[in-house]
Amino acid sequence: MTSKPLRIGISACFFYPDPSRRVFGPKTLLYAEQSMMRWVMDQGAMPFLIPESHPNFAVSDLLEQFDGLLLQGGSDLSPTSYGEEPLRPEWSGDLHRDLYEIALVHAAIAQDKPVLGICRGAQLLNVALGGSLYQDITTQLEGARLHRDAVMYDTLHHDLAIVPDTPLAEMYAHLSHHRVNSVHHQGLRTLGKDLRVEARCPEDDIIEAVRLVPAGHGSANPAPYAFAVQWHPEFQDPQDTALLDRRPILQEFFDAIQQRASR
Ligand code: MN
């Protein structure tokens, strides 16, 4: 690699003060899941954890430091973020993180920095653009298949139905069978503004991929880049050919960054 690596800002997960935790019990932690950082480096870019804004550094100042925004998975969203009350206390989610990441998404789109969302990141992108979620797929969508199992975790898989004539379809046009892992109990319900579905689970129609496609853009005036998937490419073994090759997803995100740099 001769040119400087891309700098990818990764949104943080949070651990809040918890006296039962033996290390940093009374403290709040910002963290990233290891395989997400490794996935980015596997493809030659540098991952960085994005801190919260601070009186000296607004969200837009933080984002200026990065070439793109990667929204990682983790805790549930708070139903408050899409105007609902939690149906069960355990589905209350993480409002603090929602607000932090929603501000990052708006700043990224305003600065024309590409956005890639993974799992919770797909849900967050949808909610940031005004969409809503199933608080719990199993209880709110009759006939839904299992999308998360605490023991099977990322070994739980299902097929993927990719919408024809979309960039995702083009990305995987060489494959006749599409299969992904599944580690989520929430799902996209109503779509956020200008989001288009690019894949669903064929068994229950749960949305598995979305892309921002705002009207009024063309080659002279390119649209902002935001794409998100409900599955976890970062958890995949790159050698595992049973699942969709994870590399094109990150490469498309990197290409979107590089196109902007060369404009
Ligand atoms: Mn799924």
Side-chain angles (χ1 to χ4, degrees), residues 126 160-169 188-192 194-201 205-213 227-228:
N126 188 48
L160 191 72
I162 299 180
V163 178
D165 302 320
T166 58
L168 188 65
L188 276 65
R189 192 169 193 172
T190 59
L191 277 182
D194 296 327
L195 285 179
R196 184 177 69 190
V197 174
E198 295 205 346
R200 292 179 184 268
C201 173
D205 274 348
I206 282 285
I207 294 169
E208 293 277 342
V210 286
R211 183 182 303 273
L212 181 61
V213 188
F227 178 67

Side-chain angles (χ1 to χ4, degrees), residues 145-147 158 180-184 201 206 208 230-231:
R145 63 129 34 235
L146 183 67
H147 285 268
H158 61 65
V180 294
N181 59 24
S182 190
V183 196
H184 60 109
C201 173
I206 282 285
E208 293 277 342
Q230 185 60 73
W231 67 94

Side-chain angles (χ1 to χ4, degrees), residues 8 27 121 149 220:
I8 305 302
K27 299 297 180 187
D149 182 276

Side-chain angles (χ1 to χ4, degrees), residues 29-63:
L29 305 180
L30 279 68
Y31 67 98
E33 195 278 323
Q34 184 183 51
S35 57
M36 182 64 90
M37 306 292 243
R38 287 182 173 169
W39 181 34
V40 170
M41 290 190 282
D42 281 348
Q43 289 183 225
M46 292 275 253
F48 296 89
L49 195 64
I50 309 176
E52 293 177 86
S53 59
H54 178 278
N56 289 339
F57 300 102
V59 174
S60 56
D61 298 326
L62 297 172
L63 212 52

